[in-house]
Structures are given as structure tokens and as C-alpha cells.
Amino acid sequence: MDEAGTPIEEVIASIEEAKKKDLTYDHILSSMCTDPHPIAVHAHVRFIESNLGDSGLFPGTKEIEGRVIEMLASLLNYPSGTEPAAYLTTGGTESNIQAVRVARNLKNTDKPNIVIPASAHFSFDKIGDILRVELRKADVDNDLKVDIASVESLIDENTVGLVGIAGTTEFGQIDPIKELSDVALREGIYLHVDAAFGGFVIPFIEEKYDWNFKVEGVSSITIDPHKMGMSTIPSGGLFFRRQEDMDELSIDTPYLSTKQQYSLTGTRSGGAAAGTYAVLKHLGMRGMREVVQECIRLTRILVEEAASFGIYPVINPVMNVVALEVPDIDAVVVGLMRRGWRVSISRVPRALRLVIMPHISEETLRLFIDDFRDTIKG
Ligand code: PLP
């Protein structure tokens, strides 16, 4: 830090310089985040100083967190008549860490392992390291859903939990959660569903899936408002079927205004909770459905147009994530980048991964398709 301060105008000028280097979302097809809804931004700024980590000081924000939890609980088919055991996290990584932490603590073993799909998000690699839990990666089938026989073959007496993904990061696929639940119930094992992305998509698409608390063996769910929920960052949600499971996370907080804390972080953004509340309250189910269905419509256009120049998806998209089989993929990615687009590559199989988020308009998509066609032909 400099000894002397800097006049506000100069500080603003210097942050604006940095801002200019940032990309805007409109040409980004690689991210699961998007421009937050303006009402979310308004609410976030209004609650900018609020700390849910010391919520006794911010009872209004705590009330808002409760309302968000109620709204998310309805998306997740949380058993009615019970107050949800849940809190708002910083996102999918924190939620997944905390869920696996619970699963590990519930089972008495020195050598804990969890069985996750090979398609799981890399947050689980962090989890293995942080929590000292062995990761056992189950194969996926031709549709890139976790293979139940492979899951079963990896379970042993030290298995503390199974994980299913409802909306995989790379392919937008939904694992067979009902089948995983059957295994979990039979073996008496914890089952966590990572719906960080899909949690805000699956309730709004035509096809119906078993993926949430309606499925008996599901113990906990991750759902992220800062992805398809169009909230401000950081906004995640973590839900437990049983309060006693969440209690495994409880830490005494002697000098704060509240007596206990469940979250991984201490200080926690009240702004993001308010942002989430505002956007969900404003859009309602109908508004969210419109947003999701528009993303799905554009995804279909992309798939159809790509087929017209001989490019096909690895799997038929289930949601607004497409992985396209593209020859000479590295060159195509570079070519698209030169034209201003940001795209990404899936791990296995290697394919061009595109996420059609709410910031992509039909006009932008058609510009992308033109550039994509030229790049492929070029
Ligand atoms: N889980 C899934 C399925 C994801 O797609 C992601 C991120 O894209 C995460 C977890 C991690 O979420 P975050 O980046 O909010 O920590």
C-alpha cells in the first residue's frame, strides 16, 4: 500500500482501466455464470454491508435468507411441514465440501471414501484433499450418466457417501438419481446431489426427472442461485433432508450475536442473499420458466444449425449445455477466440462445450453460428 492515499477520481480511473480489460458476458459461451438481474444488483448493493455470519446484528437479512430458503425448498420438493435444514453458501464448491463433510462425520471410519461420477465437477478433487476423503470415480455410460454397476462395484465398508450430479458441468447430463437412491438406501449410505447448475433448470424444462428430495434416499442437495438463478455472486444453497445431519456442521460462536454457525465461511454476504431473494421474488416460477425455456430454445437452434454443417452433439442436450464433436478442436477454439468468442473444451470426451446462458440473445447466437461455421470450414 502507498503511504499517502489517492484521490477518489484517480482510484475510479484506475479501476475503470482494469474494468476495460474484463470481458462482458455477451460473447461468453463457456461460463455457467451470467449477468445478474438488475433487481438482484439493486438488492445486493442495498445490503452490501450486511454480514450473515453475525446475523443477530442483521435480523432483516436473516429473515430474507429464510425466505430464499423457502423458495429454493419448493424447487427441491423439500418435505412439507418441516422447516428446511439449509443455509446460503458461497456457491457449489462450499456446498459440496459441507455435504461431504457431513457424510464423512456421520460414519465412523479412518479411511473414508466417496463414490462420485467421473463427470463430477472439480470441486470434488478439492474436497478429497481438504477432507482427506478418498475419491472413487465411477464410470459413466454412453449417455454420460453415471453407471450404477460401476458405482456399486466401488462401494465398500469405508464408503461414507455417494454423489449424483443433476446437471453435469460439461454436458448438462442428469445422473439416475432414483437408482443411486436405491443403492444408497439399500447400503445405508449418504447420498448428495450436486444440482449447482441443474437446480435452476430442471424444474423449468418439459421433461420430468427424479432428482430432488422427492427421491427418498437423497440426503442433501447443492443448488446455486448465482448460476441460472441470475443472482449476484456469491450465492449458493445447501439443503439437508435431516436437521441432525446439518447439525454435524454446527460450531459454537461464543463472541458473536448468534450462538452457532453452520457455514464454512465466517463472514457471509447478506448482499447476495438479498440479491437472490429479489430476483426470485420478481421473476416467480413463470419468469424463471421463460428464462430457462428461452435458453433451451436457443440451444436447440444451435444444435440444428450445427447439424446443417455436419457438426453433432456428443449427447442430445438435456439442458442448455451442449458438447459438440468438432475435428481439430484446439484450432477451432483458437479460431473462435480470435473472433471474440469464449468457448471451452470438455474433458472426456473432448468436445466443444457451449453453455447458452440468459445473456445470449438469438441475435448473438446467430452471429456465433456464422463464425462457428466459417471457423469449421476455414
Ligand atoms: N457443481 C457443479 C455441477 C458445477 O457446475 C459447479 C460450477 O460450475 C460447481 C459445482 C462449483 O460451483 P462454484 O464455482 O459456485 O463453487
Side-chain angles (χ1 to χ4, degrees), residues 47-218:
F47 284 74
I48 196 78
E49 76 285 18
S50 164
N51 173 18
L52 276 169
D54 200 359
S55 60
L57 304 179
F58 304 99
T61 319
K62 186 71 193 156
E63 200 177 300
I64 282 184
E65 181 186 30
R67 288 190 224 156
V68 173
I69 286 171
E70 265 174 44
M71 291 193 261
L72 299 184
S74 73
L75 292 182
L76 299 178
N77 271 104
Y78 198 85
S80 59
T82 43
E83 199 185 315
Y87 79 92
L88 296 186
T89 69
T90 49
T93 301
E94 176 179 345
S95 300
N96 289 341
I97 293 172
Q98 294 283 76
V100 176
R101 188 174 152 207
V102 166
R104 186 199 63 178
N105 290 0
L106 285 172
K107 188 146 177 168
N108 194 11
T109 164
D110 293 339
K111 290 188 181 143
N113 70 68
I114 52 168
V115 180
I116 65 172
S119 54
H121 182 259
F122 60 78
S123 50
F124 288 95
D125 294 306
K126 298 182 187 177
I127 290 168
D129 187 31
I130 296 169
L131 296 176
R132 295 279 159 213
V133 171
E134 181 200 343
L135 301 180
R136 296 189 172 176
K137 299 192 179 181
D139 297 336
V140 292
D141 63 18
N142 290 339
D143 288 329
L144 305 175
K145 296 180 192 177
V146 75
D147 182 82
I148 296 295
S150 174
V151 169
E152 286 175 315
S153 72
L154 294 171
I155 295 173
D156 66 14
E157 67 281 6
N158 293 317
T159 302
V160 301
L162 309 180
V163 172
I165 318 290
T168 58
T169 313
E170 288 156 287
F171 304 100
Q173 185 54 284
I174 303 170
D175 285 327
I177 304 299
K178 173 75 175 68
E179 282 86 333
L180 284 172
S181 158
D182 292 344
V183 176
L185 290 172
R186 194 180 67 227
E187 303 280 342
I189 311 177
Y190 191 97
L191 171 60
H192 176 64
V193 174
D194 180 357
F197 185 75
F200 270 99
V201 180
I202 306 168
F204 304 108
I205 55 180
E206 274 155 31
E207 189 100 13
K208 296 293 159 234
Y209 292 88
D210 292 321
W211 66 284
N212 59 22
F213 286 114
K214 232 188 211 171
V215 183
E216 202 192 340
V218 172

